[in-house]
Amino acid sequence: MSKIYYTKPYITQLEVDYATDAALNGWGDKCYDYIYKFEDSFKKHLNVSYAMATSSCTGAMHMGLSALGISHGDEVIIADINWIASAAPIVYLGATPIFIDILNDTWCIDPSKIEQAITPKTKAIIAVHLYGNLCDMDAIMAIAKKHNLYVIEDAAEAIGSIYKGKKAGSIGDFGVFSFHGTKTMTTGEGGMFVTNNLELYKKVNILNSHGRNPENPKQFWAETIGFKYKISNIQAAIGYAQMTHIDELINRKREIYFKYFSLFKNVEKVSMNPNPTSNELVYGYWMPTLIFDAELEFDRDLLIDKFKEINVDARVFFYPLSMLPMFDEVRNNKVSLNIYARGINLPSYHEISDGQIKKVADIVVEYLS
Ligand SMILES: *Cc1c(COP(=O)(O)O)cnc(C)c1O
């Protein structure tokens, strides 16, 4: 039986053509052409002033936090349930991630828990739009303003998500995206740093060039210790091709979510990503996710084994980061600790068929009975 992947890039002839062109011709004077096109198209899509393509989202986050001056002894507030990539750059800079609880419905940071976590060392809040679900940005921005903190949006999973008319990633001081092969759009590996703040953009631009300032004509002159998180022209060629049909990539993810949603809406004791009734919130639905009710005796490994038997990929919900050996446990994060073992992500690659979606749903229903 052919495998039902949980994610897989959606690559057309255009991606192949642009990548081939970059490999054949994109050298010398043309070695940045696709990078600039990619950045421009992303900027337009997101409606932001500045965008810089990077080799990863992790790198974009590392440079952005560094440019904000986050360093030794600082604290950065972030939701406990997350992929490690959102928190690791805090640690790279010698700062400490402060893990707080999530909301029960969006699985994103609980704004009502932020203020009690703020100390004189707090510098920033990282709002991660988990699985494409949206953080409560109004509440987060208001708290940040009151306490003079930066807000960073990790929108790696949220291309296609729109908060009150603004695209996810365009609201905070800066936003970051990932184009890893599992994401809604891909460059293989890759990321994007976006901001509306010219000063911040300039700083990150210098950091990403090993500390070289483009305004200084002196060759090979570094004015600070920087980084090197550049994307290649060949990867950017694939990214630019993906941007020419980004709406198709996003819409298909939504379609897949709604197919699952209609199959599960009458199934008791399971719930999915929020399905907003207001059009103020639009979700990108990178990962259609199922949460099994707490009263069920749910055995995640058993269900995943059932999936594996018929060659279906499924993935477990992210762990609370505070459970990992490098961090201290936070027993107070009750929602995070209660929910993570009850969640799985469902296969949602663009070319999945209705029959395959039905098959996935059938396994779950069979498991529940
Ligand atoms: C994928 C992902 C990242 C990391 O992206 P890379 O491009 O692999 O560095 C960061 N944050 C979130 C929320 C992600 O899903």
Side-chain angles (χ1 to χ4, degrees), residues 55-59 82-83 85-86 128-130 154-157 177-180 182-183 189-191 286 318:
S55 54
S56 70
C57 176
T58 308
N82 262 311
W83 172 227
S86 306
V128 185
H129 303 294
L130 203 77
D154 184 337
E157 304 174 359
F177 290 83
S178 171
F179 312 122
H180 179 255
T182 54
K183 302 287 156 69
E189 294 278 1
W286 170 59
F318 292 127

Side-chain angles (χ1 to χ4, degrees), residues 325-369:
M326 332 55 111
F327 299 118
D328 295 331
E329 249 188 312
V330 188
R331 295 242 170 80
N332 248 349
N333 291 343
K334 297 214 166 64
V335 181
S336 304
L337 287 165
N338 181 276
I339 216 170
Y340 81 92
R342 297 190 280 116
I344 58 162
N345 307 130
L346 303 170
S348 66
Y349 68 102
H350 293 88
E351 288 158 289
I352 195 168
S353 70
D354 288 359
Q356 289 173 319
I357 291 175
K358 176 81 168 53
K359 198 159 119 186
V360 171
D362 285 347
I363 304 171
V364 173
V365 171
E366 191 191 297
Y367 169 86
L368 285 170
S369 64

Side-chain angles (χ1 to χ4, degrees), residues 96-208:
T96 305
I98 303 297
F99 299 118
I100 72 169
D101 214 356
I102 58 166
L103 292 168
N104 208 21
D105 52 354
T106 61
W107 321 319
C108 291
I109 194 163
D110 181 347
S112 74
K113 303 276 163 62
I114 294 177
E115 278 196 293
Q116 63 208 61
I118 294 172
T119 74
K121 295 176 181 170
T122 311
K123 287 283 155 60
I125 303 165
I126 297 182
V128 185
H129 303 294
L130 203 77
Y131 301 132
N133 299 347
L134 284 156
C135 294
D136 183 349
M137 291 309 293
D138 281 351
I140 294 168
M141 297 303 285
I143 295 165
K145 194 167 175 207
K146 183 170 155 200
H147 296 272
N148 202 18
L149 305 174
Y150 296 114
V151 174
I152 294 116
E153 288 179 272
D154 184 337
E157 304 174 359
I159 195 158
S161 299
I162 308 170
Y163 182 87
K164 301 187 180 178
K166 288 183 183 161
K167 301 258 167 75
S170 70
I171 303 163
D173 290 282
F174 73 82
V176 290
F177 290 83
S178 171
F179 312 122
H180 179 255
T182 54
K183 302 287 156 69
T184 298
M185 67 160 283
T186 190
T187 58
E189 294 278 1
M192 192 73 78
F193 169 90
V194 301
T195 184
N196 289 309
N197 179 332
L198 176 61
E199 285 310 308
L200 190 61
Y201 171 76
K202 281 185 173 172
K203 275 188 191 160
V204 173
N205 199 23
I206 292 169
L207 285 176
N208 201 17

